[in-house]
Amino acid sequence: GYLIMARYLDAETVGQLADQTVLNLSAVVAAGPPSASFSSRTGPDDTLIASGDLSTGEQDRHVTVNVSIDTEIARAGTRVGRWMLFISVGVALGSGIVIFLLLQWLVVRRLRRLSTELAGVARAGVQGRRVTMQGRDEISELAGDINSTLASLEEAMGRYETLVESAADAIYVVEDGHIVFANPAAHQLGGEPGGEAGSELAGSPATVIVSAAGRDGLLRALGAHESGAPLRMEADSADSTRRLDLAFVPVARQPGVTQIIARDITELRSQEEARREFNRNVLESQRLESLGLFAGGIAHDFNNILTAIVGNAALARIDDDRAEAIEAIESAAYHAADLTRQPRLHAAKGRQF
């Protein structure tokens, strides 16, 4: 640094610096361009000498600067610098340890406590549970946000429980083929009116929902729940007195858990059967009406033919001596006319219907 500064100093200032420091400085103006490098060597009396040429801004002159210092002083400076480095590193490490301990005390310990309380909430359920964290820092704000989320989740769960408890459809939660929850409508469907939700049916196999004829289909539907698509099937109830419409809905992010919604469609199927029977009766009546109209048309045409026969037979009987044979023809024609009256009357009744 002294070598670099020397280019801007005159001989008097260099002498003053030499008197005020442990360095021996000398600056000599010489002719010619400066050399390109500095050099250092050990001189007599155990001194360290550094020298070099500095440009003066003029091409035909340069300044030769010589700096010398006692080697022991240089070594002491090196030792001081080394100790200063060690002290700086130690201070940095100590500061890091102190900061780590402060973070451990102020942040990590509180975060661990918050994690422990959240694990307790997860094990015991969110019903009425909250995390407690004193202070006004970011962790306390995080705890407040978590409590707000728990309150919202508890409110949503309350609405869901109310909906499930009051639902007219039977709702079952099945895990690994066994019922773990059933709402009151499920107990009524199973012949247990007034039963508490999830108490009696819990632990029973899911096949108790349907009759023996529908159990294979129910097990197949439960086995196919991993496809993610809801399945539907119809089966008789366990006592075979009602017809059930079953919907299988896989529970998200819970492998092996399926929600079964059973709806009693006995009345609906009875109404559909009654409607089909009514339609069949209407079609049968329309068919009979068509037959009656067809028979009436044939009888009418046949009666016209018979009328012509009877009329001509009457005319022939007036002029013919074979009146007895013609009278027999006329009698047969009247008898045939009597027979045609029955389809005509049936056709008339069909038009009236």
Side-chain angles (χ1 to χ4, degrees), residues 91-123:
V91 170
L93 289 176
S95 300
I97 293 174
V98 170
I99 292 174
F100 173 77
L101 293 176
L102 288 175
L103 289 176
Q104 178 75 15
W105 178 261
L106 297 176
V107 179
V108 177
R109 184 179 63 88
R110 291 165 61 81
L111 286 176
R112 188 178 295 114
R113 178 184 171 188
L114 180 62
S115 176
T116 302
E117 292 198 12
L118 285 177
V121 171
R123 287 192 301 268

Side-chain angles (χ1 to χ4, degrees), residues 160-173 181-201 242 262:
Y160 177 77
E161 289 178 0
T162 301
L163 178 64
V164 170
E165 296 293 331
S166 60
D169 295 336
I171 299 176
Y172 306 86
V173 177
F181 173 82
N183 69 340
H187 291 278
Q188 295 178 3
L189 189 63
E192 300 174 358
E196 183 180 353
S199 58
E200 292 84 359
L201 289 175
R242 280 168 285 191

Side-chain angles (χ1 to χ4, degrees), residues 137-346:
D137 54 1
E138 288 78 3
I139 298 179
S140 300
E141 294 180 0
L142 176 61
D145 295 339
I146 292 174
N147 287 332
S148 299
T149 303
L150 290 175
S152 300
L153 182 60
E154 184 177 343
E155 182 180 355
M157 290 180 61
R159 290 196 296 266
Y160 177 77
E161 289 178 0
T162 301
L163 178 64
V164 170
E165 296 293 331
S166 60
D169 295 336
I171 299 176
Y172 306 86
V173 177
V174 178
E175 182 175 4
D176 296 331
H178 289 78
I179 299 173
V180 296
F181 173 82
N183 69 340
H187 291 278
Q188 295 178 3
L189 189 63
E192 300 174 358
E196 183 180 353
S199 58
E200 292 84 359
L201 289 175
S204 302
T207 52
V208 301
I209 301 174
V210 297
S211 62
R215 290 174 182 173
D216 291 340
L218 186 141
L219 292 176
R220 285 195 299 270
L222 286 176
H225 80 283
E226 294 183 358
S227 63
L231 301 176
R232 300 185 74 94
M233 64 171 287
E234 286 190 15
D236 291 332
S237 61
D239 56 3
S240 300
T241 60
R242 280 168 285 191
R243 190 68 175 171
L244 303 179
D245 178 24
L246 303 176
F248 300 80
V249 182
V251 178
R253 296 184 295 276
Q254 295 189 33
V257 180
T258 304
Q259 181 174 274
I260 302 178
I261 302 175
R263 175 170 295 180
D264 186 357
I265 57 173
T266 306
E267 186 66 25
L268 177 63
R269 291 293 179 262
S270 299
Q271 293 176 358
E272 292 177 351
E273 182 61 29
R275 190 180 301 112
R276 286 193 293 268
E277 183 65 23
F278 175 77
N279 291 334
R280 284 195 296 268
N281 293 334
V282 170
L283 291 176
E284 183 67 18
S285 299
Q286 291 175 348
R287 186 179 67 84
L288 293 176
E289 179 183 2
S290 300
L291 290 176
L293 293 175
F294 179 70
I298 293 177
H300 181 74
D301 293 340
F302 188 59
N303 187 64
N304 291 335
I305 295 172
L306 293 176
T307 301
I309 294 174
V310 170
N312 287 297
L315 292 176
R317 186 159 53 90
I318 296 174
D319 299 329
D320 200 325
D321 294 337
R322 292 172 295 182
E324 183 176 352
I326 294 175
E327 185 177 353
I329 294 173
E330 187 177 11
S331 176
Y334 279 122
H335 182 67
D338 289 337
L339 292 177
T340 60
R341 289 193 186 95
Q342 296 180 7
R344 288 165 61 188
L345 291 176
H346 180 76

